[in-house]
Amino acid sequence: MAFNFLLAIKIVLSLTLLIFSIVMVMALIWHRETKISREVHPALAYVALWFSIIWLSMVEGIQGSLVGLKTIQTDLYRQSHLLTYKSVAMTNKGDNLDRFLVGRQFLVLFLIFVINMAGAPRDDGAKLWRLPEWIIKTFLESGVANMLMTTNIGQLPSQINVSSHMLDFVNACMSNLTVYAGLAMEYSGMFHAVYFFQQIFSCLKGTRSTLSREPPRSLCQNLFFWARIIMSLALLGFSLAVTLKGLLQGKTTMWPGVRRWASILLFFFLMLITGLLEGIQTAVYGVSKMGETFNSCAGATANTLLKNEGRNIPKFMIGRQILVTMCYFFIAKITTQDVNVWDDRDDNVFGVRNWTQKLFNTGLLSALVTTVFGSLFWQMLASAFPVSFLTNPLVTALTHICLFLEATGICSASWLLAWIQNKAAGFKRDEVYIGNAGDRADRKYPDEDEEIVPGRLYPSVPTYPPTEVGIYEVGEEDDDIESN
């Protein structure tokens, strides 16, 4: 086994920060300093926090698994991984994978908003163990502690394991429930506004007729589809109006002292940053499929990520996840409304009824706005125009920032937690069950070619090579592969 001394130092430091963050957040909840613990009970805040982190881990891992298994014939693992087969069979049907990715994005945002309400201090000036004020501000009021917990526990470990253990990861009942939850979110029509933007981008690109993998919709299906788009656009406009009204009236959990117009500018700026980061992954995957034209038009961003046989991609994905999660927590802090509900309703946004204001206070509408304008819109744009997207200087700058964040090792603890998760769950590499692409071709089960159509959602699945950035070389699993 090869031991990476520098990585070990990063893991120890990162793990120390993570444990410190967990202890502070748990104590903050115990002292009823967070939104949920103060309004309901600390026990409910604990449950909401850890349930959201665990489910988020499942949501993040399922995305990579379903996308990665799409081109592998399901007969190869139908007997050995029945639950995985059911999930993949469901999302491989027609456009269901795209539908799940739309609904899944809202689940991610909503869970992060819940984590923020359960674990972030409700008011600035929170006191804990007589700790210095700069520690409180740095870790708790800024959201760094929640970001470290969410990224190190709820996101990166599952993404790391899924890069080579897709079959075992999805082979669970919770995975099936998550797939149905994502599809249900999309079917509700709340996010159909993204399809309106998709239609616009595909018309500009000239690929409208090839967007869907399903037969043409009937008249009734078209009416239902466009009715949901109109409903979604109206709901999106209303959600944006409520969010902006709350910011203008200073009725959110935004840090005190920040001017209201600055809060609005910061909100849109953070959505721009998260949107660009979400789109980079899609654009790089689309450009890399261009074959011979790739090198001449990829731009500085793609060349940076794909040089040295693409070894910068997993490093970028880690840094990107850190930055995206941090921005999402900032957005949650800025936009989550905190209005005391009274009988006279004078403080309620737009003078709505008390039960409606309580709904606003959950951050649900802000999560909807961020899902569309801070993620899906940009993924659609990057899918339709990947080359133009990657040649944006801001995208190039964000790429280097993500690589720098990964190099700091702030989330290196995720490698150790991924290893623990792997051993605890008994994950085996996919090659143990289905062989590699060459083996599958020899067995008359060749991988299917995925058609790349501009305008679709098709995130790639990054491979996190353990021999490059992990703790140990994978010797034991290689032996398992050879024995099978």
Side-chain angles (χ1 to χ4, degrees):
M1 291 185 179
F3 185 76
N4 189 323
F5 183 72
L6 178 60
L7 180 62
I9 294 177
K10 289 182 178 180
I11 289 176
V12 171
L13 295 176
S14 176
L15 192 61
T16 302
L17 285 175
L18 176 60
I19 294 174
F20 182 59
S21 299
I22 293 174
V23 171
M24 283 199 300
V25 172
M26 296 301 101
L28 197 70
I29 294 174
W30 179 257
H31 288 90
R32 294 178 176 267
E33 293 283 356
T34 69
K35 184 178 179 66
I36 294 180
S37 65
R38 178 178 295 185
E39 295 180 356
V40 188
H41 193 276
L44 181 60
Y46 286 133
V47 172
L49 178 74
W50 288 108
F51 176 79
S52 297
I53 290 177
I54 293 171
W55 194 13
L56 180 62
S57 177
M58 182 66 67
V59 172
E60 293 286 4
I62 288 174
Q63 177 198 10
S65 297
L66 296 180
V67 174
L69 292 171
K70 181 172 178 58
T71 59
I72 298 175
Q73 297 193 38
T74 55
D75 288 341
L76 286 168
Y77 54 86
R78 182 172 185 173
Q79 299 297 325
S80 62
H81 295 76
L82 181 60
L83 294 176
T84 300
Y85 167 79
K86 290 181 178 179
S87 295
V88 175
M90 173 64 68
T91 55
N92 278 2
K93 184 178 179 181
D95 295 328
N96 277 353
L97 181 57
D98 284 1
R99 296 187 180 107
F100 169 75
L101 293 175
V102 169
R104 169 252 171 212
Q105 190 61 47
F106 174 75
L107 286 177
V108 170
L109 264 297
F110 180 71
L111 291 174
I112 287 179
F113 271 68
V114 172
I115 294 170
N116 180 72
M117 289 189 294
R122 178 175 178 177
D123 302 316
D124 287 326
K127 303 296 182 181
L128 184 64
W129 301 330
R130 298 181 181 178
L131 290 173
E133 185 178 354
W134 69 268
I135 293 181
I136 299 294
K137 289 185 177 295
T138 301
F139 283 91
L140 295 177
E141 294 180 5
S142 68
V144 169
N146 276 322
M147 184 277 294
L148 291 175
M149 289 173 53
T150 303
T151 307
N152 277 306
I153 302 175
Q155 293 177 310
L156 288 177
S158 60
Q159 293 175 9
I160 291 170
N161 279 321
V162 157
S163 67
S164 54
H165 305 83
M166 297 180 289
L167 290 172
D168 282 345
F169 191 94
V170 188
N171 199 42
C173 292
M174 190 63 181
S175 298
N176 293 122
L177 294 176
T178 302
V179 170
Y180 284 115
L183 291 174
M185 287 292 101
E186 190 277 342
Y187 186 79
S188 69
M190 291 191 298
F191 314 102
H192 270 53
V194 300
Y195 297 129
F196 175 74
F197 301 121
Q198 184 186 51
Q199 294 289 327
I200 294 175
F201 296 149
S202 60
C203 286
L204 294 175
K205 192 71 176 180
T207 58
R208 183 177 180 181
S209 61
T210 59
L211 272 179
S212 178
R213 303 176 180 90
E214 299 178 343
R217 289 185 291 268
S218 64
L219 176 61
C220 291
Q221 290 173 330
N222 257 326
L223 289 174
F224 185 50
F225 176 74
W226 283 101
R228 285 184 291 174
I229 287 181
I230 295 172
M231 181 270 291
S232 177
L233 288 171
L235 179 60
L236 181 63
F238 175 72
S239 301
L240 184 59
V242 170
T243 301
L244 294 179
K245 185 70 171 180
L247 288 171
L248 286 171
Q249 294 180 344
K251 295 181 177 179
T252 72
T253 56
M254 181 61 177
W255 298 283
V258 180
R259 294 184 179 274
R260 296 173 184 179
W261 61 266
S263 300
I264 295 176
L265 290 181
L266 184 58
F267 170 52
F268 283 106
F269 174 75
L270 290 173
M271 284 202 298
L272 170 65
I273 297 300
T274 58
L276 292 176
L277 290 170
E278 294 282 9
I280 291 175
Q281 181 182 2
T282 301
V284 169
Y285 184 62
V287 170
S288 66
K289 297 297 182 180
M290 292 182 176
E292 296 179 357
T293 63
F294 168 71
N295 291 329
S296 61
C297 65
T301 302
N303 287 329
T304 298
L305 294 177
L306 295 171
K307 68 180 181 180
N308 298 325
E309 299 180 352
R311 293 177 182 175
N312 274 349
I313 291 181
K315 297 177 181 179
F316 162 77
M317 294 302 297
I318 292 174
R320 167 196 166 277
Q321 192 64 71
I322 297 171
L323 190 53
V324 166
T325 305
M326 185 177 296
C327 289
Y328 282 156
F329 274 113
F330 286 162
I331 291 174
K333 177 71 174 180
I334 293 170
T335 61
T336 299
Q337 296 190 8
D338 188 22
V339 177
N340 292 320
V341 179
W342 307 102
D343 292 337
D344 54 17
R345 296 173 11 193
D346 289 342
D347 289 338
N348 294 356
V349 175
F350 291 128
V352 297
R353 294 181 180 274
N354 289 341
W355 69 267
T356 307
Q357 183 59 55
K358 290 180 179 179
L359 177 64
F360 293 171
N361 287 350
T362 64
L364 184 66
L365 299 186
S366 302
L368 190 152
V369 172
T370 308
T371 299
V372 176
F373 288 129
S375 179
L376 295 174
F377 172 87
W378 296 94
Q379 291 183 47
M380 298 287 188
L381 181 64
S383 173
F385 306 98
V387 176
S388 300
F389 192 91
L390 291 178
T391 53
N392 186 325
L394 184 56
V395 169
T396 305
L398 287 174
T399 302
H400 288 284
I401 292 174
C402 291
L403 292 174
F404 169 76
L405 285 175
E406 188 279 333
T408 64
I410 190 174
C411 285
S412 292
S414 59
W415 291 104
L416 177 60
L417 296 178
W419 180 81
I420 293 174
Q421 182 189 55
N422 187 309
K423 296 304 179 182
F427 291 155
K428 293 184 179 180
R429 292 175 66 88
D430 297 324
E431 291 85 351
V432 174
Y433 303 107
I434 58 177
N436 57 33
D439 296 332
R440 295 191 288 272
D442 292 339
R443 294 165 59 185
K444 310 301 182 184
Y445 289 99
D447 294 352
E448 301 173 359
D449 292 329
E450 174 66 9
E451 181 184 6
I452 302 301
V453 176
R456 285 182 184 168
L457 292 172
Y458 44 78
S460 61
V461 183
T463 299
Y464 297 87
T467 55
E468 291 293 327
V469 288
I471 309 174
Y472 301 111
E473 291 184 354
V474 204
E476 298 176 0
E477 291 189 342
D478 289 341
D479 294 336
D480 290 339
I481 295 172
E482 292 177 1
S483 64
N484 284 270

